[in-house]
Amino acid sequence: MLRTRTLTAALALGLLGACQQTKSTVVTSPTAGTAETQVETNEPALAIANPVLAGDFPDPSITKVGDTYWATATSSNWGPVFPLLKSTNLKDWELAGHVFPNELPAWADYYFWAPEISQEGDKTYIYYTAHKKGGNLAVGVAVADNPAGPYRDLGPLVGQEVGSIDGFAMRDEKGDLYLIWKEDGNSRNLPTPIWAQRLNEEHTALLGEKKELFRNTAPWEGNLVEGVAMVKRNDYFYAFYAANGCCGHNCTYGTGVARAKSLLGPWEKYEKNPILTKNDKWACPGHGTVFNRGNRWYMLHHAYDTRSFEFVGRQGVVSEFTWTAEGWPEFTNNGSVPVQAAPVAKARNLTDEFDGPVLQPSWQWPVQERPTVAVRGGQLRLTARPEHSGAALGQHTTSANYTATTTLLNPNGLPAGTVAGIAAHGDPENTLALTAGSGKLQLWQLEKGKQKTLSETKLPTAAALTFRLRAENGNLFRFDYSTDNGKNWLAMPAAGAAAINGTYLPPWDRGVRAGVLAKGPVTATATFERFELDSQ
């Protein structure tokens, strides 16, 4: 098979009863040139412990190469671009690297969205969205000889005037390769057509004319349909898609499905859409890809944990579905994300002693403001930047309540005009931080690029200061410092000693990161020891 989303096993229509007679089903993976028919294999259900990708992993995509599952997700304006995660059991995931770990694609500058990982023969392709320099959003593609990389960018494939996003490759009933994508009309208060167009076998250029498959027409879809992921099963192509408002506390996202006997249509939307909706635990499920394990079918997609919403971001979750007698997908749990699972998913904790030769791959930074760092001897040396909130490094947060700590060495030795410390990062213009420098300890916020000091005190004469950031309910923050390596803590009060409201921090499409910063002239360097993130 050319694209192996574990779609190589066949599936009987009698999934709702284990005692029904075995039957073969034709399943074609999205870019496969030929269908593969096998006798149905019975597989045990996954003990799904959502989130399977804890933290801010929107628009996740999954494929299987050999005995290993590979996943990736939107990184938006955080670098490095597009995480590469691998697992052999769909429960334990390892961050194996990034599609673009160092240099950005030459044609793009920001908004790295919706990577779609695809195995074709001995090549791995990543179809992705990015903002084109001097232009608008466009769909590009990168290729590697191994899912772990390194990846070589092949450039943009399509970039319409209003923007093109959410690329997905699929072969039609004749074996011809097509690119499926969304025209981003909602950015201009216009409809959002889903297009298909021939893609050459080199994956470098579109051929012929584009054909519209469908657009947002149903009331529940609101102002958009997007994030199409396809599979061919028996006589039909199935397009799983997301619709309505993706993000934030007031999101209205859900998942629908349409089908057609020919890739180019006509397409029929399911009368029971949406087929995947919110519940008390998970909100706004959508934009993912389908995979199967024998006779069991799943979708890896994103959703908000209702305890933390946008402060953690859209997390990667798995939902199981079956097929009705009429051949439509039907999600279990009454069409919502599984609420409980065994074993219970654990929040991510992290300790970095900075004892390796390079920065751990889980560290992130603003994609257009990559900081200069050095790691050696158990220390992180972060070169300052004067712009915005300075040089910033952050880690995914995975729960509404967490504690981050780090130690700043020689705070009194920082050059004039330089501050460094611990921070809750939204983006370069929205930050909340406790820093040392210029003889002061300062608690300050940067909101929409405007900096405000919340409180300050004289800088202690200690050789090192340990900083602590505590988050409550995702948006309330407290900061403390210690002169004796955390044995005793002193609170850095805000007005009235209340917790600071950080509701303003996360952008519309990202979660908050906890980390460090150094702000000042580029000749200055701040030195940190140990960073710890403890999630509750």
Side-chain angles (χ1 to χ4, degrees), residues 235-367:
D235 297 330
Y236 286 100
F237 291 89
Y238 292 87
F240 293 76
Y241 65 92
N244 223 316
C246 72
C247 306
H249 254 87
N250 298 318
C251 61
T252 52
Y253 227 35
T255 297
V257 66
R259 72 181 184 183
K261 290 190 174 183
S262 169
L263 179 66
L264 297 182
W267 283 83
E268 172 194 8
K269 293 179 181 177
Y270 190 25
E271 63 179 8
K272 294 184 179 180
N273 282 339
I275 57 173
L276 187 62
T277 57
K278 67 179 181 179
N279 56 35
D280 290 341
K281 169 65 175 174
W282 293 103
C284 302
H287 200 139
T289 46
V290 170
F291 67 98
N292 78 305
R293 288 162 55 88
N295 63 349
R296 292 187 178 274
W297 287 77
Y298 304 89
M299 187 176 187
L300 172 65
H301 58 90
H302 70 237
Y304 283 117
D305 186 323
T306 55
R307 295 171 299 180
S308 56
F309 261 100
E310 69 269 32
F311 303 106
V312 167
R314 294 167 287 169
Q315 306 190 60
V317 300
V318 168
S319 299
E320 186 173 5
F321 66 91
T322 57
W323 298 92
T324 69
E326 294 76 27
W328 288 101
E330 182 176 72
F331 281 89
T332 55
N333 301 288
N334 296 316
S336 63
V337 181
V339 174
Q340 294 179 335
V344 176
K346 295 181 180 179
R348 170 178 171 266
N349 296 320
L350 172 132
T351 299
D352 192 346
E353 299 283 1
F354 303 121
D355 52 4
V358 295
L359 198 65
Q360 287 191 11
S362 59
W363 284 102
Q364 298 179 292
W365 53 81
V367 72

Side-chain angles (χ1 to χ4, degrees), residues 2 118-125 143-147 152 203:
L2 297 180
S118 172
Q119 186 70 15
E120 185 159 352
D122 59 356
K123 301 290 185 182
T124 308
Y125 292 91
V143 63
D145 295 329
N146 185 293
R152 176 172 58 92
H203 300 74

Side-chain angles (χ1 to χ4, degrees), residues 11 114 140 150 189 204 221 226 240 243 248 253 287 306 344 353 362 389 402 417 425 439 485:
L11 176 66
N189 294 315
T204 56
E221 295 168 348
E226 62 186 13
F240 293 76
Y253 227 35
H287 200 139
T306 55
V344 176
E353 299 283 1
S362 59
S389 54
Y402 57 88
H425 297 292
N485 198 30

